[in-house]
Amino acid sequence: QTVTVEVLDHLERLALVDFRDSEGVERLQKAIRFADQLHEVNTDGVEPMDSVLEDRCLYLREDDVTEGNCTNTLLNNAREKVEEYFVAPPGNIPLPKLEERETFLQGS
Amino acid sequence: ACLETRFQVAAALKEGHVTPTELCQRCLALIKSTKFLNAYVTVAEETALKQAEESEKRYKRGQPLGVLDGIPVAVKDNFNTAGIETTCASNMLKGYISPYNATVVQKLLDQGAVLLGKTNLDEFAMGSGSTDGVFGPVRNPWSYSRQYKEKSVPKSHSEDKESNWVITGGSSGGSAAAVSSFTCFAALGSDTGGSTRNPAAHCGVVGLKPTYGLISRHGLIPLVNSMDVPGILARCVDDAAVVLGSLAGHDPKDSTTIQDKFKPFDLPNLTDVSKLSIGIPKEYHAPGLSSEILALWSKAADLFKDAGAKVIEVSLPHTRYSIVCYHVLCTAEVASNMARFDGLEYGHRSDTNKSTASMYAATRREGFNDVVRGRILSGNYFLLKQNYENYFIKAQKVRRLIANDFVKVFESGVDILLTPTTLSDAVPYMEFIKEDNRTRSAQDDILTQAANMAGLPAINVPTALSERGLPVGLQFIGRSFQEKQLLTVAKWFENQVKFPMIQLEEVERHNHGVLQHQKSASFS
């Protein structure tokens, strides 16, 4: 049961990384086949485990400001900035459709 | 004539036989002459020497900060280090200068340790060979040891000796190689599926994976939040214990650290093991386990038995699903954790400026290697609405079964589990790269990663040399937060096996005639 092009396209949009070539797609197929072994295990009545520390309370501290004032240090690592803002290209523009963008999946 | 362990060094520093600056310079020189190992991504020469000078002033005043004052250490390049580049061996973070120190790095510096540099790894700690980073593979120092060279038969005179070198294992290969080649006394690694213990086994050093929640992950660039831990690499168990003592404890900046007060401990010299119950999990006799390692494992079990300990076979029935479970949970958490790399606030940014979505996509296409991209895509697949229940939730259920296996065994009276760490000794690089990263990781993590699933402490202790002259280690797995017991047993075992020292030309050259041989402070 292979993954459809629709799902592959969907994954590229969600992950914002590309499959690059047939090897990339094959890698996913292999990963799924490998993961399918999980279905051999009987998990009736078993609760999912989020964390090994589930029996303990997470530490919550007082809602007081303890650090900050490091604007310049943080801005130093950004490539595009204006005054104290990180600059992003325009949002709300969806990734081009499969037919229109540069992706290996186009040929499929 | 060499200072092998931190203990020996600490004594030497205290008595003034060697100064922190001399020690630092020696290590820096050794790093230069072992450059071919490619263990270091960044060598922080200037800051290290400054730190060494400060340490020297403190020793002269008779006020060292503690046992780690003046001790040269190295840190895996996925820990943030203020003012020093942190790359995770990826194009995504090339040029990224950390604005802060990871808590564990800060703790080491507060104790006066001298940070020599950042060590090489698989890109974003994904891998079991330390071969898939953007700065190239790390070479196992044992490839150049007399012990290995004596055993390897060159196929022809013209054969490039260079192509015979073996991998360090991974992903903390740089840290393991750095400790193994004497360029530092301890190093930090990280351990998500075995990334500290695996290279420790291949490089013949002690590799400790602490209990999840004991040591702060703040500043450790995360892979799998529910399994990552900082790891400790050192040349002997005592040294690992000392580093553990300086790192463990609650960190308000990491809410997944437990709040129990941590008491640093000295390791007792165990002489009587008759009250100990050692469990041998039969499922760890995994397919592909070399007959050599099987024999060593058996020999080790006999060692305990002959010394009076109770050695029993136990079962961890879900062991064989542990690697599959890990594969799903790891890729799922990775898909989430890698989402922060979009080029806006730090790291690589693509020149594309049409839209945020296309800029993010281009940045990530340019910044991540195949392995990282593959895991992100797989992880996203398992997290799709139609797959969530069948894969992600299913894996979380299987995780509980795996953790419960351990609980049952420890409840039945077993104190420590003894298992192999790796399936074989280190393979040559040329052979290793024939299989892809995912396949390799699935094979190599098989013995180490269940401990990460269950959050248990585990340690690799170098045991013996293989027929090829390469290190083989064995693994001890302990109960949650019982590091003292785990390390005590590991130390006893270490004393029994007396693992040989690496005979490396570069190391001998630097140590020659410089200092008198010092006996370790722990045995007199």
Side-chain angles (χ1 to χ4, degrees):
Chain A
Q1 197 188 26
T2 52
V3 185
T4 62
V5 174
E6 285 73 39
V7 173
L8 294 174
D9 176 35
H10 186 46
L11 286 174
E12 280 198 346
R13 284 167 180 285
L14 280 178
L16 289 179
V17 294
D18 62 326
F19 282 97
R20 187 83 38 111
D21 50 31
S22 61
E23 212 183 294
V25 176
E26 185 54 33
R27 205 177 285 128
L28 176 67
Q29 308 275 33
K30 281 201 198 131
I32 300 169
R33 279 199 293 271
F34 189 67
D36 282 336
Q37 292 173 77
L38 274 181
H39 302 126
E40 295 167 24
V41 187
N42 183 348
T43 50
D44 292 340
V46 181
E47 284 298 301
M49 177 184 245
D50 288 311
S51 164
V52 295
L53 299 176
E54 61 189 359
D55 293 332
R56 294 172 184 259
C57 272
L58 263 188
Y59 170 72
L60 287 176
R61 63 168 208 196
E62 289 304 310
D63 191 11
D64 295 323
V65 175
T66 52
E67 53 183 350
N69 288 323
C70 50
T71 316
N72 285 329
T73 331
L74 294 181
L75 284 174
N76 267 335
N77 279 309
R79 223 191 71 167
E80 313 252 345
K81 48 204 176 207
V82 167
E83 292 176 19
E84 291 190 345
Y85 293 88
F86 294 110
V87 179
N92 275 338
I93 302 174
L95 211 56
K97 287 209 196 62
L98 183 59
E99 314 82 64
E100 285 145 38
R101 69 177 194 274
E102 242 181 78
T103 167
F104 157 76
L105 297 176
Q106 240 183 45
S108 322
Chain B
C2 92
L3 297 174
E4 204 186 311
T5 66
R6 185 215 49 82
F7 254 137
Q8 296 167 321
V9 169
L13 284 171
K14 224 164 160 195
E15 284 154 42
H17 293 301
V18 66
T19 67
T21 26
E22 279 167 353
L23 197 55
C24 181
Q25 280 160 346
R26 230 169 54 148
C27 288
L28 288 171
L30 190 53
I31 292 174
K32 284 201 182 87
S33 55
T34 53
K35 206 152 178 217
F36 55 89
L37 295 176
N38 202 17
Y40 287 81
V41 171
T42 304
V43 179
E45 193 164 329
E46 269 183 51
T47 50
L49 285 168
K50 256 194 227 114
Q51 286 162 10
E53 274 168 35
E54 292 300 308
S55 171
E56 194 157 319
K57 287 189 198 142
R58 289 190 293 266
Y59 272 101
K60 284 210 175 96
R61 286 199 304 266
Q63 292 170 337
L65 288 169
V67 286
L68 287 177
D69 205 333
I71 304 288
V73 297
V75 163
K76 186 175 180 181
D77 207 13
N78 60 352
F79 284 92
N80 275 288
T81 42
I84 300 175
E85 197 180 358
T86 300
T87 66
C88 294
S90 174
N91 278 320
M92 189 57 92
L93 285 178
K94 252 192 190 167
Y96 167 70
I97 310 281
S98 308
Y100 70 110
N101 279 322
T103 298
V104 289
V105 172
Q106 190 61 57
K107 285 190 173 190
L108 287 176
L109 294 175
D110 288 344
Q111 288 284 307
V114 172
L115 178 57
L116 294 174
K118 309 297 288 298
T119 57
N120 205 353
L121 58 156
D122 280 303
E123 180 159 339
F124 279 111
M126 299 184 198
S128 59
S130 302
T131 52
D132 278 320
V134 96
F135 299 106
V138 185
R139 300 186 182 203
N140 192 326
W142 285 83
S143 313
Y144 303 94
S145 68
R146 201 164 294 145
Q147 290 105 327
Y148 178 61
K149 288 196 226 169
E150 276 171 3
K151 298 289 176 105
S152 52
V153 182
K155 295 194 183 82
S156 69
H157 274 296
S158 59
E159 181 187 76
D160 186 8
K161 265 198 223 148
E162 290 287 289
S163 66
N164 217 14
W165 60 270
V166 298
I167 57 165
T168 50
S171 61
S172 310
S175 283
V179 173
S180 167
S181 59
F182 286 81
T183 59
C184 62
F185 286 83
L188 290 186
S190 65
D191 197 309
T192 306
S195 291
T196 290
R197 292 161 284 155
N198 175 294
H202 287 315
C203 294
V205 297
V206 169
L208 170 64
K209 173 213 170 295
T211 311
Y212 180 85
L214 185 63
I215 299 189
S216 173
R217 292 181 299 112
H218 174 77
L220 165 60
I221 294 169
L223 191 61
V224 183
N225 298 65
S226 67
M227 295 186 217
D228 289 349
V229 291
I232 298 168
L233 295 128
R235 285 194 287 277
C236 68
V237 177
D238 271 322
D239 286 358
V242 167
V243 178
L244 177 71
S246 69
L247 297 181
H250 177 65
D251 180 15
K253 293 183 183 169
D254 177 359
S255 60
T256 60
T257 52
I258 59 160
Q259 294 159 64
D260 302 4
K261 193 123 197 351
F262 173 78
K263 280 182 283 196
F265 46 80
D266 280 326
L267 287 183
N269 273 319
L270 192 61
T271 44
D272 174 22
V273 296
S274 59
K275 295 196 189 65
L276 218 52
S277 172
I278 309 281
I280 311 285
K282 61 179 187 202
E283 291 85 2
Y284 278 64
H285 184 161
L289 186 65
S290 82
S291 48
E292 249 188 334
I293 299 193
L294 182 60
L296 269 170
W297 186 21
S298 184
K299 220 168 141 186
D302 288 340
L303 202 70
F304 279 100
K305 213 180 291 171
D306 295 339
K310 182 164 156 218
V311 179
I312 53 172
E313 191 187 74
V314 295
S315 176
L316 297 168
H318 295 92
T319 300
R320 67 192 199 88
Y321 293 107
S322 150
I323 197 70
V324 187
C325 184
Y326 173 69
H327 163 75
V328 174
L329 293 179
C330 173
T331 49
E333 292 214 35
V334 159
S336 172
N337 277 323
M338 296 292 126
R340 72 192 67 195
F341 298 106
D342 56 21
L344 266 185
E345 292 163 68
Y346 42 72
H348 174 70
R349 177 175 175 147
S350 165
D351 290 326
T352 319
N353 254 327
K354 280 198 227 96
S355 67
T356 25
S358 63
M359 187 278 274
Y360 291 175
T363 297
R364 291 155 72 80
R365 180 170 55 243
E366 292 159 19
F368 290 141
N369 75 0
D370 287 350
V371 178
V372 180
R373 275 185 303 111
R375 291 201 193 187
I376 294 173
L377 288 162
S378 302
N380 273 294
Y381 179 82
F382 298 132
L383 291 170
L384 287 176
K385 252 192 291 202
Q386 67 256 37
N387 297 327
Y388 196 79
E389 190 69 41
N390 280 337
Y391 289 95
F392 184 67
I393 300 288
K394 181 79 182 178
Q396 287 192 313
K397 292 180 181 176
V398 175
R399 181 176 185 176
R400 182 177 296 284
L401 292 175
I402 293 166
N404 283 347
D405 279 356
F406 284 100
V407 169
K408 286 197 199 100
V409 160
F410 284 127
E411 265 171 9
S412 76
V414 167
D415 297 307
I416 305 270
L417 297 169
L418 168 62
T419 80
T421 313
T422 55
L423 294 176
S424 72
D425 56 2
V427 299
Y429 174 70
M430 297 311 278
E431 199 184 300
F432 185 79
I433 54 175
K434 288 191 189 141
E435 296 270 12
D436 73 278
N437 184 292
R438 194 193 59 79
T439 313
R440 279 296 181 195
S441 299
Q443 293 164 347
D444 301 334
D445 288 344
I446 237 171
L447 301 170
T448 46
Q449 103 35 250
N452 298 86
M453 286 290 215
L456 299 171
I459 186 171
N460 171 75
V461 180
T463 307
L465 292 184
S466 70
E467 268 174 30
R468 290 163 64 217
L470 294 171
V472 168
L474 289 176
Q475 172 177 240
F476 293 92
I477 304 174
R479 298 161 186 247
S480 272
F481 302 107
Q482 300 304 314
E483 269 79 355
K484 184 171 179 185
Q485 183 183 51
L486 177 70
L487 291 169
T488 303
V489 175
K491 180 173 163 177
W492 180 87
F493 182 70
E494 178 187 62
N495 287 338
Q496 305 302 310
V497 298
K498 297 195 178 29
F499 183 77
M501 210 175 91
I502 186 175
Q503 285 163 23
L504 207 57
E505 213 179 276
E506 287 76 10
V507 174
E508 283 159 14
R509 220 185 300 137
H510 281 269
N511 284 324
H512 180 65
V514 175
L515 288 143
Q516 296 288 340
H517 177 72
Q518 296 268 329
K519 261 201 153 168
S520 173
S522 58
F523 346 100
S524 42

